[in-house]
Amino acid sequence: MTTGFTGIHAILYALFDAGERLDRQAMRRQVEICLGLGVHGIAALGLATEVSKLTVAERRTVMEWASEDLAGRKPLAFTIYGSSVGEQIEQVRAAEAVKADWVILQPPMVGSFGAAEYIRFFGRVAEATSLPVAIQNAPAYMGRGLSAGDIRDLVAQHPNIALVKGEAPATDIAQLIETTENRLPIMNGRGGIELIENLRAGCVGMVLAPDVIDFMVHAYESFKAGDEAAAELAYRDALPAIVFIMQSLESLICYGKRVFGARAGIAIHDRAPAMRPTAFGEALVQQHVAKLGRFSGRAPDGRGGHLRPV
């Protein structure tokens, strides 16, 4: 399964209808768009999926829908959210039931503890499954995390921990790769910020919300093919939108989702509590979408056009 830990994986947005219910058709369309744009995998129930706003039943619904829509065509991962070992293991079992290929463990969003406590916590959940396990290390967004040395110790104790899902600058990612002696695949996020630098540092891929995922797929594939100039151009074209979207997690949910919706032709509705868009923010969404273009099923060429069908 380590071959599944490469490339650009889309982390799905939670798409709601006007009544704040999960929108089945919009969620299916999101997966179809991502597959059509050539993503290398699909994930759900992370921070971009607003997992903390979903009930346990809704989380399982998202798992079932994603598995049904993906139908085994690409690797499928679910972030495991829960405040206790027992709750996380229940979510892991649900992921296993829908044939997930791997799971991503988040630290419990209760209290604030030392590294040893999180290592024990993650280890107990990891021991409960035979699936490959990733650890989400996002202290900037979650207020808790592990050092590179902590992650090295955790992996040494639990061999099915096979990946780190980071949310960190490329300099931190490079340090983590060095500390773990390049034995552990690293996928970063942060909306695609420093995509090229992350790849140069040794990241095997990125897990990103799908607002500019077509540009990110093209940049990654160009880089892997040895065409760094084309990768830089695709990244450059997406960067203004990434900066606009990634001001905060709340901004990602508010404006990133609206950029995606406008490009996809999907109406966006918020689930309270939420950051609400301002008139100026809505105008910026439209400006960025005008530059990015609607999702066309063709990969951007980094020069304002389209290179090839995907």
Side-chain angles (χ1 to χ4, degrees), residues 31-45:
V31 172
E32 291 172 348
I33 287 170
C34 291
L35 290 175
L37 293 169
V39 299
H40 304 98
I42 295 285
L45 299 179

Side-chain angles (χ1 to χ4, degrees), residues 83 86 103:
S83 298
V103 292

Side-chain angles (χ1 to χ4, degrees), residues 159-243:
N160 69 322
I161 296 178
L163 178 80
V164 172
K165 166 59 175 70
E167 299 284 352
T171 50
D172 291 358
I173 295 298
Q175 181 61 48
L176 175 58
I177 290 170
E178 180 181 345
T179 301
T180 57
E181 300 177 328
N182 203 26
R183 296 177 181 174
L184 187 67
I186 313 294
M187 298 185 80
N188 209 2
R190 299 177 78 219
I193 292 173
E194 296 185 300
L195 172 70
I196 307 301
E197 289 83 356
N198 275 286
L199 296 177
R200 288 175 179 150
C203 266
V204 297
M206 307 283 276
V207 182
L208 309 171
D211 32 74
V212 295
I213 202 98
D214 46 347
F215 290 84
M216 300 294 97
V217 168
H218 182 53
Y220 171 84
E221 292 187 344
S222 297
F223 185 92
K224 298 303 287 185
D227 190 349
E228 293 195 21
E232 291 276 11
L233 284 170
Y235 175 67
R236 179 202 65 188
D237 285 350
L239 185 57
I242 294 171
V243 172

Side-chain angles (χ1 to χ4, degrees), residues 77-97:
F78 295 110
T79 299
I80 303 302
Y81 177 90
S83 298
S84 68
V85 170
E87 184 180 359
Q88 291 210 2
I89 290 175
E90 286 182 1
Q91 295 294 300
V92 169
R93 295 284 178 263
E96 291 170 340

Side-chain angles (χ1 to χ4, degrees), residues 5-72:
F5 302 148
T6 59
I8 304 298
H9 292 228
I11 182 80
L12 302 179
Y13 284 121
L15 300 177
F16 303 105
D17 64 19
E20 301 192 14
R21 298 174 294 264
L22 285 168
D23 187 326
R24 176 68 183 109
Q25 297 307 314
M27 293 294 288
R28 177 181 288 122
R29 179 64 182 142
Q30 181 177 201
V31 172
E32 291 172 348
I33 287 170
C34 291
L35 290 175
L37 293 169
V39 299
H40 304 98
I42 295 285
L45 299 179
L47 298 174
T49 321
E50 298 172 79
V51 64
S52 64
K53 294 183 186 178
L54 303 180
T55 66
V56 171
E58 286 175 325
R59 290 178 229 158
R60 294 189 176 186
T61 294
V62 169
M63 289 182 178
E64 291 165 1
W65 288 355
S67 179
E68 177 183 334
D69 297 339
L70 192 56

